[in-house]
Amino acid sequence: MKAQYRRNLNVLVPCVVVLSIMLSLVAYSPELYRAFCGATGYGGTTQRAYSDPATTSDQTVTVAFDSNVAPGLPWRFEPEQRSVTVRLGEQKLVFFTAENLSNESIVAHAAFNVTPETAGIYFNKIQCFCFNEERLDPHQKVEMPVVFYVDPAFGKDTDNASVDTITLSYTLLRSVNPDQAKNLSRFEANAAPDAVHGEQLFGERCTACHAMGSNKTGPMLGGVVGRRAGSAAGYHYSRALGSATFTWSRDSLDKWLADPKKFVPGARMPVRVLDTPSRRDLVAYLQKVSEKRNARAGLKAAVSGGEY
């Protein structure tokens, strides 16, 4: 009798374990599937990046753009350019236009992929409206930036040897999570700066090289607004920046972030922030930190170049 009981347990226990595993996989399958697609580029899933790659290539590829709107969503949505040719590793800024044709505020989100699917693992987005649920007010029209690059490793992949065009496709769908929406008006030229978003961007794009209170690969940035360029204590600057005579203001920081090597020829900083809204928010965050530090020190931060 005991032997039979043990045999039954030997069958029942593994069945319960297998069933539990299957139920767990079902519960988490959407998250696992998204993670798998993001890691492998499966189905043309693009990658998320926060800065330029370390290298570029003279090899080029054409990136074409395709836009679609789901039935029942009264938006007009289209790229401002049908295609661009980019060098592998080159950061590129393009724009899409969205317009709400209805008399009500509507939240939408973008489904996206690239074709051929083998290119997904190499297609990196730094800035994209597709990262969020997005809201447009009645008859509002907005230009939305997308910043991307194609990894130089794309040119060494034999599966893509004959590929000369990658198509980035978007389909806008009505959102099922409207409470999580961001307003697309943040992309407008006269939008107010968002220091909170700037802090998030700083954490994503800048902290690998910069800190507020100490030097890392790059100089400390606490109190940078109002500080003379090339003067952070203890940091070894390039000759170009070390001999600069200007003081960091909102305007100069904006120009620096847009293209450091153009603003200060000979500078070493490799990272650029091409889209204006991201630069505006990053500078607002740096200004906020500088004001707090200078207030503690009894100083007043320089804000030449006007207020945002």
PDB file of all heavy atoms in Angstrom, residues 241-264:
ATOM      1  N   LEU A 241      39.070  72.741 -25.047  1.00  0.00           N
ATOM      2  CA  LEU A 241      38.119  73.196 -24.032  1.00  0.00           C
ATOM      3  C   LEU A 241      38.845  73.849 -22.860  1.00  0.00           C
ATOM      4  O   LEU A 241      38.328  74.784 -22.239  1.00  0.00           O
ATOM      5  CB  LEU A 241      37.271  72.018 -23.543  1.00  0.00           C
ATOM      6  CG  LEU A 241      35.923  72.375 -22.908  1.00  0.00           C
ATOM      7  CD1 LEU A 241      35.092  73.255 -23.834  1.00  0.00           C
ATOM      8  CD2 LEU A 241      35.145  71.120 -22.562  1.00  0.00           C
ATOM      9  N   GLY A 242      40.040  73.372 -22.566  1.00  0.00           N
ATOM     10  CA  GLY A 242      40.800  73.966 -21.467  1.00  0.00           C
ATOM     11  C   GLY A 242      41.193  75.406 -21.723  1.00  0.00           C
ATOM     12  O   GLY A 242      41.381  76.187 -20.783  1.00  0.00           O
ATOM     13  N   SER A 243      41.311  75.772 -23.001  1.00  0.00           N
ATOM     14  CA  SER A 243      41.690  77.150 -23.329  1.00  0.00           C
ATOM     15  C   SER A 243      40.489  78.017 -23.711  1.00  0.00           C
ATOM     16  O   SER A 243      40.665  79.176 -24.085  1.00  0.00           O
ATOM     17  CB  SER A 243      42.688  77.141 -24.504  1.00  0.00           C
ATOM     18  OG  SER A 243      42.106  76.543 -25.657  1.00  0.00           O
ATOM     19  N   ALA A 244      39.270  77.451 -23.605  1.00  0.00           N
ATOM     20  CA  ALA A 244      38.071  78.224 -23.938  1.00  0.00           C
ATOM     21  C   ALA A 244      37.869  79.346 -22.931  1.00  0.00           C
ATOM     22  O   ALA A 244      38.249  79.236 -21.759  1.00  0.00           O
ATOM     23  CB  ALA A 244      36.850  77.311 -23.967  1.00  0.00           C
ATOM     24  N   THR A 245      37.274  80.439 -23.399  1.00  0.00           N
ATOM     25  CA  THR A 245      37.118  81.608 -22.528  1.00  0.00           C
ATOM     26  C   THR A 245      35.653  81.940 -22.220  1.00  0.00           C
ATOM     27  O   THR A 245      35.393  82.914 -21.511  1.00  0.00           O
ATOM     28  CB  THR A 245      37.762  82.836 -23.189  1.00  0.00           C
ATOM     29  OG1 THR A 245      37.158  83.059 -24.476  1.00  0.00           O
ATOM     30  CG2 THR A 245      39.266  82.629 -23.363  1.00  0.00           C
ATOM     31  N   PHE A 246      34.714  81.157 -22.725  1.00  0.00           N
ATOM     32  CA  PHE A 246      33.303  81.471 -22.491  1.00  0.00           C
ATOM     33  C   PHE A 246      32.807  80.827 -21.196  1.00  0.00           C
ATOM     34  O   PHE A 246      33.445  79.937 -20.636  1.00  0.00           O
ATOM     35  CB  PHE A 246      32.444  81.014 -23.682  1.00  0.00           C
ATOM     36  CG  PHE A 246      32.408  79.518 -23.880  1.00  0.00           C
ATOM     37  CD1 PHE A 246      31.461  78.726 -23.241  1.00  0.00           C
ATOM     38  CD2 PHE A 246      33.319  78.894 -24.736  1.00  0.00           C
ATOM     39  CE1 PHE A 246      31.425  77.356 -23.423  1.00  0.00           C
ATOM     40  CE2 PHE A 246      33.290  77.530 -24.933  1.00  0.00           C
ATOM     41  CZ  PHE A 246      32.340  76.751 -24.271  1.00  0.00           C
ATOM     42  N   THR A 247      31.672  81.305 -20.743  1.00  0.00           N
ATOM     43  CA  THR A 247      31.011  80.760 -19.561  1.00  0.00           C
ATOM     44  C   THR A 247      29.784  79.971 -19.998  1.00  0.00           C
ATOM     45  O   THR A 247      29.062  80.387 -20.908  1.00  0.00           O
ATOM     46  CB  THR A 247      30.582  81.900 -18.616  1.00  0.00           C
ATOM     47  OG1 THR A 247      31.759  82.570 -18.138  1.00  0.00           O
ATOM     48  CG2 THR A 247      29.799  81.354 -17.417  1.00  0.00           C
ATOM     49  N   TRP A 248      29.562  78.837 -19.339  1.00  0.00           N
ATOM     50  CA  TRP A 248      28.426  77.991 -19.710  1.00  0.00           C
ATOM     51  C   TRP A 248      27.106  78.687 -19.370  1.00  0.00           C
ATOM     52  O   TRP A 248      26.862  79.047 -18.224  1.00  0.00           O
ATOM     53  CB  TRP A 248      28.473  76.653 -18.983  1.00  0.00           C
ATOM     54  CG  TRP A 248      29.561  75.737 -19.466  1.00  0.00           C
ATOM     55  CD1 TRP A 248      30.634  75.290 -18.758  1.00  0.00           C
ATOM     56  CD2 TRP A 248      29.659  75.148 -20.768  1.00  0.00           C
ATOM     57  NE1 TRP A 248      31.404  74.460 -19.517  1.00  0.00           N
ATOM     58  CE2 TRP A 248      30.839  74.351 -20.768  1.00  0.00           C
ATOM     59  CE3 TRP A 248      28.889  75.198 -21.924  1.00  0.00           C
ATOM     60  CZ2 TRP A 248      31.247  73.630 -21.887  1.00  0.00           C
ATOM     61  CZ3 TRP A 248      29.298  74.483 -23.041  1.00  0.00           C
ATOM     62  CH2 TRP A 248      30.458  73.707 -23.014  1.00  0.00           C
ATOM     63  N   SER A 249      26.280  78.876 -20.392  1.00  0.00           N
ATOM     64  CA  SER A 249      24.937  79.418 -20.229  1.00  0.00           C
ATOM     65  C   SER A 249      23.964  78.425 -20.844  1.00  0.00           C
ATOM     66  O   SER A 249      24.361  77.396 -21.396  1.00  0.00           O
ATOM     67  CB  SER A 249      24.827  80.767 -20.948  1.00  0.00           C
ATOM     68  OG  SER A 249      24.955  80.574 -22.359  1.00  0.00           O
ATOM     69  N   ARG A 250      22.695  78.742 -20.812  1.00  0.00           N
ATOM     70  CA  ARG A 250      21.719  77.858 -21.436  1.00  0.00           C
ATOM     71  C   ARG A 250      21.961  77.764 -22.942  1.00  0.00           C
ATOM     72  O   ARG A 250      21.877  76.686 -23.529  1.00  0.00           O
ATOM     73  CB  ARG A 250      20.306  78.344 -21.131  1.00  0.00           C
ATOM     74  CG  ARG A 250      19.897  78.107 -19.690  1.00  0.00           C
ATOM     75  CD  ARG A 250      18.471  78.535 -19.439  1.00  0.00           C
ATOM     76  NE  ARG A 250      18.001  78.051 -18.149  1.00  0.00           N
ATOM     77  CZ  ARG A 250      16.768  78.188 -17.698  1.00  0.00           C
ATOM     78  NH1 ARG A 250      15.873  78.814 -18.452  1.00  0.00           N
ATOM     79  NH2 ARG A 250      16.424  77.727 -16.523  1.00  0.00           N
ATOM     80  N   ASP A 251      22.242  78.899 -23.565  1.00  0.00           N
ATOM     81  CA  ASP A 251      22.487  78.894 -25.002  1.00  0.00           C
ATOM     82  C   ASP A 251      23.725  78.086 -25.362  1.00  0.00           C
ATOM     83  O   ASP A 251      23.716  77.290 -26.303  1.00  0.00           O
ATOM     84  CB  ASP A 251      22.645  80.326 -25.522  1.00  0.00           C
ATOM     85  CG  ASP A 251      21.303  80.983 -25.832  1.00  0.00           C
ATOM     86  OD1 ASP A 251      20.266  80.291 -25.694  1.00  0.00           O
ATOM     87  OD2 ASP A 251      21.299  82.166 -26.208  1.00  0.00           O
ATOM     88  N   SER A 252      24.818  78.315 -24.626  1.00  0.00           N
ATOM     89  CA  SER A 252      26.056  77.606 -24.965  1.00  0.00           C
ATOM     90  C   SER A 252      25.931  76.111 -24.687  1.00  0.00           C
ATOM     91  O   SER A 252      26.457  75.287 -25.447  1.00  0.00           O
ATOM     92  CB  SER A 252      27.245  78.199 -24.201  1.00  0.00           C
ATOM     93  OG  SER A 252      27.043  78.130 -22.803  1.00  0.00           O
ATOM     94  N   LEU A 253      25.211  75.730 -23.634  1.00  0.00           N
ATOM     95  CA  LEU A 253      24.992  74.309 -23.367  1.00  0.00           C
ATOM     96  C   LEU A 253      24.144  73.665 -24.460  1.00  0.00           C
ATOM     97  O   LEU A 253      24.393  72.525 -24.863  1.00  0.00           O
ATOM     98  CB  LEU A 253      24.324  74.124 -22.006  1.00  0.00           C
ATOM     99  CG  LEU A 253      25.243  74.236 -20.792  1.00  0.00           C
ATOM    100  CD1 LEU A 253      24.412  74.316 -19.511  1.00  0.00           C
ATOM    101  CD2 LEU A 253      26.206  73.042 -20.723  1.00  0.00           C
ATOM    102  N   ASP A 254      23.146  74.393 -24.951  1.00  0.00           N
ATOM    103  CA  ASP A 254      22.322  73.870 -26.032  1.00  0.00           C
ATOM    104  C   ASP A 254      23.165  73.621 -27.286  1.00  0.00           C
ATOM    105  O   ASP A 254      23.051  72.560 -27.929  1.00  0.00           O
ATOM    106  CB  ASP A 254      21.191  74.852 -26.340  1.00  0.00           C
ATOM    107  CG  ASP A 254      20.255  74.331 -27.406  1.00  0.00           C
ATOM    108  OD1 ASP A 254      19.406  73.468 -27.091  1.00  0.00           O
ATOM    109  OD2 ASP A 254      20.378  74.765 -28.574  1.00  0.00           O
ATOM    110  N   LYS A 255      24.010  74.571 -27.640  1.00  0.00           N
ATOM    111  CA  LYS A 255      24.871  74.412 -28.821  1.00  0.00           C
ATOM    112  C   LYS A 255      25.876  73.282 -28.611  1.00  0.00           C
ATOM    113  O   LYS A 255      26.188  72.534 -29.541  1.00  0.00           O
ATOM    114  CB  LYS A 255      25.593  75.727 -29.116  1.00  0.00           C
ATOM    115  CG  LYS A 255      24.668  76.841 -29.561  1.00  0.00           C
ATOM    116  CD  LYS A 255      25.419  78.160 -29.694  1.00  0.00           C
ATOM    117  CE  LYS A 255      24.476  79.289 -30.082  1.00  0.00           C
ATOM    118  NZ  LYS A 255      25.169  80.600 -30.136  1.00  0.00           N
ATOM    119  N   TRP A 256      26.398  73.176 -27.398  1.00  0.00           N
ATOM    120  CA  TRP A 256      27.351  72.109 -27.074  1.00  0.00           C
ATOM    121  C   TRP A 256      26.708  70.730 -27.215  1.00  0.00           C
ATOM    122  O   TRP A 256      27.269  69.833 -27.837  1.00  0.00           O
ATOM    123  CB  TRP A 256      27.866  72.329 -25.662  1.00  0.00           C
ATOM    124  CG  TRP A 256      28.665  71.204 -25.075  1.00  0.00           C
ATOM    125  CD1 TRP A 256      28.227  70.257 -24.207  1.00  0.00           C
ATOM    126  CD2 TRP A 256      30.057  70.924 -25.300  1.00  0.00           C
ATOM    127  NE1 TRP A 256      29.241  69.398 -23.873  1.00  0.00           N
ATOM    128  CE2 TRP A 256      30.380  69.785 -24.519  1.00  0.00           C
ATOM    129  CE3 TRP A 256      31.050  71.522 -26.066  1.00  0.00           C
ATOM    130  CZ2 TRP A 256      31.659  69.227 -24.508  1.00  0.00           C
ATOM    131  CZ3 TRP A 256      32.333  70.980 -26.055  1.00  0.00           C
ATOM    132  CH2 TRP A 256      32.622  69.845 -25.286  1.00  0.00           C
ATOM    133  N   LEU A 257      25.527  70.565 -26.658  1.00  0.00           N
ATOM    134  CA  LEU A 257      24.856  69.278 -26.730  1.00  0.00           C
ATOM    135  C   LEU A 257      24.471  68.912 -28.159  1.00  0.00           C
ATOM    136  O   LEU A 257      24.490  67.739 -28.539  1.00  0.00           O
ATOM    137  CB  LEU A 257      23.614  69.274 -25.838  1.00  0.00           C
ATOM    138  CG  LEU A 257      23.874  69.289 -24.330  1.00  0.00           C
ATOM    139  CD1 LEU A 257      22.564  69.515 -23.570  1.00  0.00           C
ATOM    140  CD2 LEU A 257      24.529  67.990 -23.878  1.00  0.00           C
ATOM    141  N   ALA A 258      24.118  69.914 -28.958  1.00  0.00           N
ATOM    142  CA  ALA A 258      23.716  69.646 -30.341  1.00  0.00           C
ATOM    143  C   ALA A 258      24.882  69.090 -31.151  1.00  0.00           C
ATOM    144  O   ALA A 258      24.698  68.177 -31.967  1.00  0.00           O
ATOM    145  CB  ALA A 258      23.182  70.917 -30.990  1.00  0.00           C
ATOM    146  N   ASP A 259      26.081  69.621 -30.927  1.00  0.00           N
ATOM    147  CA  ASP A 259      27.262  69.139 -31.667  1.00  0.00           C
ATOM    148  C   ASP A 259      28.522  69.674 -30.994  1.00  0.00           C
ATOM    149  O   ASP A 259      29.020  70.745 -31.345  1.00  0.00           O
ATOM    150  CB  ASP A 259      27.214  69.605 -33.123  1.00  0.00           C
ATOM    151  CG  ASP A 259      28.203  68.841 -34.004  1.00  0.00           C
ATOM    152  OD1 ASP A 259      29.225  68.354 -33.477  1.00  0.00           O
ATOM    153  OD2 ASP A 259      27.946  68.725 -35.206  1.00  0.00           O
ATOM    154  N   PRO A 260      29.050  68.950 -30.006  1.00  0.00           N
ATOM    155  CA  PRO A 260      30.198  69.461 -29.239  1.00  0.00           C
ATOM    156  C   PRO A 260      31.406  69.804 -30.097  1.00  0.00           C
ATOM    157  O   PRO A 260      32.056  70.834 -29.879  1.00  0.00           O
ATOM    158  CB  PRO A 260      30.515  68.308 -28.272  1.00  0.00           C
ATOM    159  CG  PRO A 260      29.248  67.525 -28.176  1.00  0.00           C
ATOM    160  CD  PRO A 260      28.599  67.643 -29.511  1.00  0.00           C
ATOM    161  N   LYS A 261      31.716  68.964 -31.069  1.00  0.00           N
ATOM    162  CA  LYS A 261      32.935  69.164 -31.856  1.00  0.00           C
ATOM    163  C   LYS A 261      32.791  70.299 -32.859  1.00  0.00           C
ATOM    164  O   LYS A 261      33.784  70.842 -33.328  1.00  0.00           O
ATOM    165  CB  LYS A 261      33.325  67.862 -32.540  1.00  0.00           C
ATOM    166  CG  LYS A 261      33.717  66.781 -31.529  1.00  0.00           C
ATOM    167  CD  LYS A 261      34.084  65.475 -32.182  1.00  0.00           C
ATOM    168  CE  LYS A 261      34.441  64.435 -31.133  1.00  0.00           C
ATOM    169  NZ  LYS A 261      34.795  63.130 -31.723  1.00  0.00           N
ATOM    170  N   LYS A 262      31.565  70.648 -33.193  1.00  0.00           N
ATOM    171  CA  LYS A 262      31.340  71.816 -34.037  1.00  0.00           C
ATOM    172  C   LYS A 262      31.395  73.085 -33.198  1.00  0.00           C
ATOM    173  O   LYS A 262      31.958  74.096 -33.625  1.00  0.00           O
ATOM    174  CB  LYS A 262      29.985  71.716 -34.738  1.00  0.00           C
ATOM    175  CG  LYS A 262      29.661  72.899 -35.640  1.00  0.00           C
ATOM    176  CD  LYS A 262      28.315  72.733 -36.307  1.00  0.00           C
ATOM    177  CE  LYS A 262      27.977  73.928 -37.194  1.00  0.00           C
ATOM    178  NZ  LYS A 262      26.640  73.760 -37.847  1.00  0.00           N
ATOM    179  N   PHE A 263      30.833  73.039 -31.994  1.00  0.00           N
ATOM    180  CA  PHE A 263      30.811  74.206 -31.128  1.00  0.00           C
ATOM    181  C   PHE A 263      32.208  74.543 -30.609  1.00  0.00           C
ATOM    182  O   PHE A 263      32.593  75.718 -30.554  1.00  0.00           O
ATOM    183  CB  PHE A 263      29.855  73.961 -29.962  1.00  0.00           C
ATOM    184  CG  PHE A 263      29.694  75.129 -29.035  1.00  0.00           C
ATOM    185  CD1 PHE A 263      29.243  76.355 -29.503  1.00  0.00           C
ATOM    186  CD2 PHE A 263      29.989  75.006 -27.686  1.00  0.00           C
ATOM    187  CE1 PHE A 263      29.094  77.439 -28.658  1.00  0.00           C
ATOM    188  CE2 PHE A 263      29.840  76.089 -26.823  1.00  0.00           C
ATOM    189  CZ  PHE A 263      29.391  77.303 -27.312  1.00  0.00           C
ATOM    190  N   VAL A 264      32.974  73.498 -30.233  1.00  0.00           N
ATOM    191  CA  VAL A 264      34.353  73.699 -29.774  1.00  0.00           C
ATOM    192  C   VAL A 264      35.241  72.726 -30.561  1.00  0.00           C
ATOM    193  O   VAL A 264      35.429  71.573 -30.145  1.00  0.00           O
ATOM    194  CB  VAL A 264      34.504  73.446 -28.260  1.00  0.00           C
ATOM    195  CG1 VAL A 264      35.950  73.676 -27.823  1.00  0.00           C
ATOM    196  CG2 VAL A 264      33.566  74.334 -27.453  1.00  0.00           C
TER     197      VAL A 264
END
